[in-house]
Amino acid sequence: MPGLYVFVYTLYAGSNTELRGELIVDGQVKTASVADGYHEADYVTSTNVIVIHVNAGERVFVRRAYENSNCQTISNADRGWSSFNGWLLS
């Protein structure tokens, strides 16, 4: 449904891991963030919020990657994970 949306995503990086994320809308990067636990012994998080107009038929998703991987898609949950939510405002 077209309209104004708020999207929220969180990255959770494991110890000694840098996890990068990008919010993609219809093939274009709209915002990016990093959860930098690379120099830490603990787990770290990074949360990003964006309010944006989305048209019907446009795809919205979060692409995540490890450091220096140019945001190639990953699927290894041992080093980090992400969450993604969206709500229609109007």
Side-chain angles (χ1 to χ4, degrees), residues 13-14 16-20 34-38 65-68 79:
N16 298 314
T17 299
E18 180 183 288
L19 190 62
R20 298 172 182 263
V34 175
D36 186 1
Y38 192 70
Y66 297 128
E67 69 280 351
N68 301 321
R79 294 178 59 193

Side-chain angles (χ1 to χ4, degrees), residues 27-41:
Q28 296 182 355
V29 176
K30 296 299 182 178
T31 186
S33 64
V34 175
D36 186 1
Y38 192 70
H39 301 288
E40 301 292 331

Side-chain angles (χ1 to χ4, degrees), residues 12-72:
Y12 179 80
S15 196
N16 298 314
T17 299
E18 180 183 288
L19 190 62
R20 298 172 182 263
E22 299 173 329
L23 182 91
I24 311 293
V25 177
D26 202 31
Q28 296 182 355
V29 176
K30 296 299 182 178
T31 186
S33 64
V34 175
D36 186 1
Y38 192 70
H39 301 288
E40 301 292 331
D42 294 324
Y43 293 87
V44 296
T45 61
S46 172
T47 299
N48 217 337
V49 178
I50 185 171
V51 177
I52 191 168
H53 186 270
V54 177
N55 295 311
E58 291 182 324
R59 293 181 56 213
V60 180
F61 63 96
V62 172
R63 176 170 56 194
R64 63 182 193 151
Y66 297 128
E67 69 280 351
N68 301 321
S69 67
N70 296 319
C71 268
Q72 297 171 3

